[in-house]
């Protein structure tokens, strides 16, 4: 069953102009040496599979990650879900073609990440929203965003790496935080989200999470103002998908938004959304188990840009450094910063760094070559892999990422 379709599949492979500034032409799968894993899967409720139906509402998602999440919420068959940025392509630098804009304008709903992740798409997203297409920004419904400081990185990752409570046994609560599914209190308030990490500095006390007031009188655009679809959170890290529980916290509001703006059966959407939240909670527990065996002294991540802040926050890692400064892959490397990064890697003794597969690995490779005994391991961070691959769904993408990190830092 197809989970979502790219615009290419809809209008023909030759009609798109795909521009990914700083991106690589080839998306590389994760390290083949990564540990074998058991992937959590979504057991969607039994919804009768529909034939491709032009009467179904069309939901356009900016990235493959959010297209897959939306597909799960609409039971895969209750809407036509498409994505703008193709599989394996960096979302920061992708620039839309005229065909992309046309499909976005014709969408019944538009789902984006927000926080300026879609830098090249931002003007088109804003224009389409102003034209009246209902817009949902995922990060407007994630309560505990991480602030990124250009000078100090993720300044709230005060990890001592003691891991005394690394079991995270409070995050998979008995009722997973969604026992009533009234969609008014799904915002992490009972996932705990202190993760037992008393030193993260997050109070996570977002009891109302905004889900009860974001539907608005007309259920349109969540009163985001449409001029920045979440861009106003200057300094907030947009890569929220690297914490499955943060993704889970946005699912109820997404379900409400879809129900309010389409004729899709509400009970079906709520049933599938609830099932997907359960899947994400299970995914979180699986990832935690996969990463638990990494020694304390190796729980340091080096990547191309600041993409793994939420994973570090959730699973007790330190972001040691990045080849590119900041949370955008469009930034330029600084030779002095690369030299400093090499010295930090040498001082800590880590033996693997993770090059984001959607963009060039040249800078990290140069650092590794200078050190001589550091492996550069490819890792998808911004997009799913091709449909049918081992990173073709969000659950698979996250499981492979965890296996890759565990394999790289445990050996």
């Amino acid at each position: 069953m197809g989970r979502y379709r790219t615009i290419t599949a809809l209008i023909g492979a030759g009609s798109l102009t795909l521009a990914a500034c700083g991106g690589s032409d080839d998306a590389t799968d994760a390290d083949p040496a990564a540990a074998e894993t058991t992937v959590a899967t979504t057991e969607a409720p039994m919804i009768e599979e529909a034939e491709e139906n032009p009467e179904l509402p069309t939901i356009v998602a900016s990235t493959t990650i959010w297209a897959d999440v939306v597909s799960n919420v609409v039971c895969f068959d209750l809407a036509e879900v498409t994505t703008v940025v193709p599989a394996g392509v960096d979302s920061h630098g992708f620039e839309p073609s005229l065909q992309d804009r046309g499909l976005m304008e014709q969408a019944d709903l538009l789902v984006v990440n927000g926080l300026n992740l879609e830098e090249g798409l931002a003007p088109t997203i804003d224009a389409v929203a102003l034209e009246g297409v209902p817009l949902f920004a995922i990060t407007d419904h994630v309560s505990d965003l991480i602030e990124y400081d250009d000078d100090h990185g993720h300044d709230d990752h005060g990890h001592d790496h003691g891991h005394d409570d690394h079991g995270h046994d409070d995050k998979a609560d008995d009722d997973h935080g969604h026992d009533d599914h009234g969609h008014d209190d799904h915002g992490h308030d009972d996932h705990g989200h202190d993760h037992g990490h008393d030193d993260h500095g997050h109070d996570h006390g977002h009891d109302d999470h905004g889900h009860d007031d974001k539907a608005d009188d007309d259920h349109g655009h969540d009163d985001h103002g449409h001029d920045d679809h979440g861009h106003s959170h200057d300094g907030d890290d947009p890569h929220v998908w690297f914490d499955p529980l943060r993704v889970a916290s946005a699912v109820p509001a997404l379900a409400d938004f879809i129900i309010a703006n389409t004729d899709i059966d509400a009970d079906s959407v709520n049933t599938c959304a609830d099932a997907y939240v359960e899947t994400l909670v299970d995914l979180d527990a699986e990832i935690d188990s996969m990463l638990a065996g990494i020694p304390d002294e190796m729980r340091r991540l080096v990547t191309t840009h600041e993409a793994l802040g939420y994973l570090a926050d959730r699973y007790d890692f330190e972001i040691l450094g990045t080849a590119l400064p900041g949370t955008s892959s469009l930034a330029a490397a600084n030779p002095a910063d690369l030299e400093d990064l090499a010295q930090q890697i040498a001082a800590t003794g880590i033996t693997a760094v993770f090059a984001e597969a959607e963009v060039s690995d040249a800078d990290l490779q140069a650092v590794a070559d200078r050190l001589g005994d550091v492996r550069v391991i490819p890792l998808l961070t911004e997009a799913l892999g091709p449909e049918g691959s081992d990173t073709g769904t969000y659950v698979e993408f996250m499981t492979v990422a965890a296996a890759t990190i565990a394999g790289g830092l445990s050996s």
Side-chain angles (χ1 to χ4, degrees):
M1 181 189 304
R3 295 176 178 270
Y4 62 86
R5 294 189 295 163
T6 64
I7 292 177
T8 305
L10 290 175
I11 64 177
S15 59
L16 282 180
T17 302
L18 303 181
C21 301
S24 170
D25 290 337
D26 297 321
T28 308
D29 282 339
D31 182 16
E36 291 185 4
T37 62
T38 301
V39 178
T41 58
T42 302
E43 292 296 335
M46 294 300 294
I47 304 295
E48 183 178 352
E49 183 171 355
E51 296 291 333
E52 193 169 305
N53 185 346
E55 298 304 316
L56 291 177
T58 298
I59 304 176
V60 173
S62 57
T63 73
T64 50
I65 290 170
W66 300 125
D68 184 62
V69 170
V70 171
S71 292
N72 278 274
V73 173
V74 298
C75 314
F76 303 110
D77 295 305
L78 301 180
E80 291 288 342
V81 181
T82 65
T83 182
V84 180
V85 183
V89 174
D90 179 32
S91 51
H92 291 281
F94 179 85
E95 296 178 359
S97 68
L98 291 177
Q99 289 90 344
D100 298 331
R101 173 158 181 159
L103 190 85
M104 293 166 70
E105 289 174 335
Q106 296 168 22
D108 293 296
L109 304 177
L110 182 60
V111 176
V112 302
N113 187 87
L115 293 181
N116 207 28
L117 176 81
E118 303 96 339
E119 296 173 66
L121 276 173
T124 304
I125 292 171
D126 291 336
V128 169
L130 285 171
E131 291 170 4
V133 177
L135 173 66
F136 184 92
I138 295 287
T139 51
D140 286 333
H141 299 271
V142 174
S143 59
D144 45 350
L145 297 171
I146 295 175
E147 183 176 358
Y148 176 81
D149 184 320
D150 286 336
D151 294 324
H152 302 98
H154 292 92
D155 55 6
D156 51 1
H157 292 313
H159 305 308
D160 61 7
H161 306 295
H163 307 299
D164 293 335
D165 52 9
H166 188 62
H168 301 296
D169 54 4
D170 59 337
K171 70 185 175 220
D173 301 312
D174 293 340
D175 59 4
H176 304 311
H178 52 278
D179 51 355
D180 58 3
H181 290 290
H183 300 334
D184 56 355
D185 63 353
H186 287 62
H188 279 22
D189 45 306
D190 62 355
H191 280 319
H193 257 121
D194 58 2
H195 320 313
H197 311 296
D198 296 337
D199 55 353
H200 283 335
H202 301 311
D203 61 12
H204 308 303
H206 305 281
D207 293 334
D208 60 6
H209 198 55
H211 292 176
D212 55 354
D213 59 7
K214 288 198 174 180
D216 294 329
D217 294 339
D218 60 359
H219 304 292
H221 305 293
D222 301 345
D223 69 6
H224 299 323
H226 306 169
D227 54 350
D228 59 8
H229 53 275
H231 297 176
S232 60
H233 299 279
D234 291 338
D236 287 338
D237 185 342
H239 303 87
V240 295
W241 59 88
F242 272 105
D243 178 358
L245 293 190
R246 283 176 166 98
V247 174
S249 76
V251 166
L254 176 61
D256 286 344
F257 179 79
I258 292 170
I259 291 167
N261 289 281
T262 70
D263 293 328
I264 300 176
D265 179 67
D267 289 341
S268 296
V269 171
N270 284 331
T271 298
C272 289
D274 291 350
Y276 193 52
V277 168
E278 297 283 350
T279 295
L280 296 177
V281 172
D282 291 343
L283 172 64
D284 172 71
E286 175 70 12
I287 292 172
D288 187 54
S289 176
M290 293 167 66
L291 299 175
I294 300 173
D296 292 346
E297 65 273 12
M298 300 298 287
R299 301 183 77 86
R300 297 180 173 92
L301 297 170
V302 175
T303 56
T304 307
H305 79 294
E306 292 275 1
L308 299 184
Y310 289 95
L311 184 143
D313 179 61
R314 180 63 189 156
Y315 303 109
D316 276 338
F317 286 85
E318 174 190 354
I319 303 295
L320 183 64
T322 60
L324 305 178
T327 58
S328 172
S329 61
L330 301 184
N334 181 300
D337 291 342
L338 293 178
E339 176 61 27
D340 182 61
L341 179 60
Q343 292 178 10
Q344 291 183 70
I345 293 171
T348 56
I350 62 172
T351 59
V353 298
F354 300 94
E356 295 159 31
E358 299 91 340
V359 296
S360 171
D361 66 353
D363 293 315
L364 276 184
Q365 192 62 59
V367 171
D369 290 345
R370 180 191 181 287
L371 295 171
D373 57 353
V374 173
R375 291 179 296 151
V376 178
I377 300 175
L379 180 72
L380 279 173
T381 61
E382 300 284 336
L384 303 183
E387 186 173 355
S389 70
D390 63 355
T391 53
T393 71
Y394 170 67
V395 169
E396 292 168 337
F397 164 93
M398 286 297 296
T399 306
V400 169
T404 302
I405 291 169
L409 297 180
S410 298
S411 57

